[in-house]
């Protein structure tokens, strides 16, 4: 079968032996993953398909159990299923267990579901891509927010050698709970301290929804950071948030949330389709030329 992509790209040949993967979410129509994996499948001329799978919460258990029976090599898991999926896979990586959520499933040769979490990998790889040689060990990190995304990022920062994570959250109890799970290098701090957390930090990360389309702005003055510090925002709608714009204007290296999203997808693609893909400027342009979710 030859499918001509709606975006006018190269036709993509899918045989009866094609490897099949997809993304499970509810709703799933907003997901960029089908376009992203479709781009890579075309780029590397692989015999594979990646499909959106709208699965409501009541059907999550049955849908996951059906994956091996349907011959799926695996799936990505997105909102709102990431946390529940951890209890529904047969095995989970230590990262997924510590983070408390699964975003990637690989079906092993025995038909068992192996859950992992690649968000932290995506976060670190995105910075390394922008700043080759960057090391998490270069200094303290200031992380804004203590939700699911923050858990993945704090886990990755500690694993990559960050000496200290200053964790600022509106509900300080959520930051304290995260610190309990991740150890002494995480310092939970009240939200009003965010300005004071910047001097001497080597990295500032926004993991909150602030600055996203339709949400309040993030009120912070980045000039208190050293100029050598990296600023990262996981928000990607808009792509250039006020935080990223402020950091770039000051001369700090800034990385946007789209990069993290693209890099977190790489290990799943490699496991299902046998080729570790790269994040190229063409890939970014391709996704940006399609409508970005609001
Ligand atoms: P995700 O899984 O994407 O990280 P989440 O778990 O809902 O999403 O976390 C959202 C984060 O944004 C939380 O840290 C939240 O703070 P609380 O723990 O106090 O809820 C933060 N957040 C949301 N709205 C905020 C606001 N108006 N001001 C400051 N922080 C906010």
């Amino acid at each position: 079968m030859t499918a001509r992509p709606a975006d006018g790209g190269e036709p993509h040949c899918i045989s009866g032996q094609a490897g099949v993967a997809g993304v499970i979410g509810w709703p799933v129509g907003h997901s960029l993953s089908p376009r992203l994996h479709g781009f890579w499948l075309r780029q590397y001329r692989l015999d594979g398909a990646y499909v959106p799978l709208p699965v409501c919460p009541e059907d999550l258990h049955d849908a996951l159990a059906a994956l091996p029976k349907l011959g799926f090599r695996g799936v990505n898991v997105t909102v709102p299923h990431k946390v529940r999926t951890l209890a529904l896979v047969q095995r989970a990586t230590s990262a997924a267990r510590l983070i408390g959520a699964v975003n990637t499933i690989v079906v092993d040769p025995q038909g068992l579901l192996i859950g992992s979490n690649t968000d932290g990998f995506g976060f670190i790889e995105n910075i390394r891509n922008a700043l080759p040689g960057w090391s998490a060990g270069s200094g303290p990190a200031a992380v804004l927010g203590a939700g699911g995304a923050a858990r993945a990022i704090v886990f990755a920062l500690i694993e990559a050698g960050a000496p200290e994570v200053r964790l600022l959250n509106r509900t300080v109890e959520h930051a304290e709970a995260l610190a309990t799970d991740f150890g002494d290098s995480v310092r939970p701090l009240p939200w009003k301290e965010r300005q004071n957390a910047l001097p001497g930090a080597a990295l500032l990360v926004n993991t909150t929804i602030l600055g996203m389309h339709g949400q309040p702005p993030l009120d912070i003055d980045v000039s208190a950071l050293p100029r050598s510090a990296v600023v990262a925002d996981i928000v990607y709608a808009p792509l250039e948030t006020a935080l990223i714009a402020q950091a770039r204007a000051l001369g700090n290296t800034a990385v946007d949330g789209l990069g993290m999203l693209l890099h977190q997808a790489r290990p799943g693609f490699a496991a299902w389709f046998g080729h570790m893909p790269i994040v190229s400027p063409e890939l970014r342009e391709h996704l940006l030329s399609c409508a970005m979710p609001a």
Side-chain angles (χ1 to χ4, degrees):
M1 178 188 152
T2 301
R4 185 167 287 281
D7 57 31
E10 286 290 303
H12 178 210
C13 296
I14 304 169
S15 83
Q17 276 96 48
V20 183
V23 54
I24 288 185
W26 186 259
V28 80
H30 67 284
S31 174
L32 290 176
S33 296
R35 281 180 188 145
L36 164 59
H37 289 273
F39 180 94
W40 281 330
L41 287 168
R42 287 196 295 280
Q43 180 182 4
Y44 299 114
R45 300 182 180 280
L46 297 172
D47 189 14
Y50 185 101
V51 292
L53 298 164
V55 173
C56 67
E58 303 82 69
D59 290 338
L60 180 64
H61 176 275
D62 290 350
L64 291 175
L67 292 173
K69 300 173 191 174
L70 292 168
F72 270 76
R73 294 195 181 164
V75 286
N76 285 123
V77 180
T78 187
V79 178
H81 301 316
K82 288 189 191 187
V83 172
R84 261 186 73 214
T85 295
L86 181 61
L88 297 174
V89 292
Q90 279 81 44
R91 274 203 276 136
T93 59
S94 55
R97 274 188 301 216
L98 264 164
I99 293 165
V102 162
N103 74 347
T104 305
I105 293 176
V106 175
V107 179
D108 82 356
Q110 284 75 47
L112 300 177
L113 305 183
I114 315 299
S116 59
N117 191 308
T118 63
D119 283 336
F121 168 89
F123 175 75
I124 299 277
E125 284 286 298
N126 185 34
I127 298 180
R128 288 199 177 133
N129 199 50
L131 208 60
W134 177 82
S135 162
S138 58
V143 176
L144 307 176
R151 283 187 79 84
I153 288 169
V154 169
F155 169 82
L157 284 172
I158 292 172
E159 201 186 49
E164 178 192 344
V165 176
R166 303 168 183 168
L167 187 63
L168 301 116
N169 198 48
R170 177 179 62 176
T171 311
V172 75
E173 291 80 11
H174 295 166
E176 286 164 356
L178 206 150
T180 304
D181 290 346
F182 289 102
D184 291 344
S185 51
V186 181
R187 273 180 57 207
L189 293 162
W191 185 242
K192 64 176 167 47
E193 290 300 320
R194 62 195 179 282
Q195 204 57 50
N196 298 330
L198 301 188
L203 173 69
L204 169 66
V205 191
N206 175 40
T207 79
T208 73
I209 54 172
L210 298 176
M212 196 184 284
H213 282 316
Q215 299 295 336
L218 171 61
D219 178 20
I220 197 160
D221 179 359
V222 175
S223 65
L225 276 176
R227 290 291 70 75
S228 57
V230 174
V231 176
D233 202 333
I234 71 158
V235 171
Y236 62 86
L239 191 60
E240 183 165 272
T241 59
L243 175 67
I244 295 286
Q246 201 193 142
R248 287 195 177 132
L250 285 162
N252 290 80
T253 298
V255 295
D256 62 46
L258 180 61
M260 175 176 166
L261 185 81
L262 304 185
H263 281 279
Q264 65 76 31
R266 291 170 55 216
F269 187 91
W272 307 320
F273 302 118
H275 187 95
M276 188 59 151
I278 61 157
V279 172
S280 61
E282 293 74 29
L283 172 61
R284 281 181 64 97
E285 266 166 41
H286 170 70
L287 290 172
L288 292 171
S289 71
C290 308
M292 289 285 283

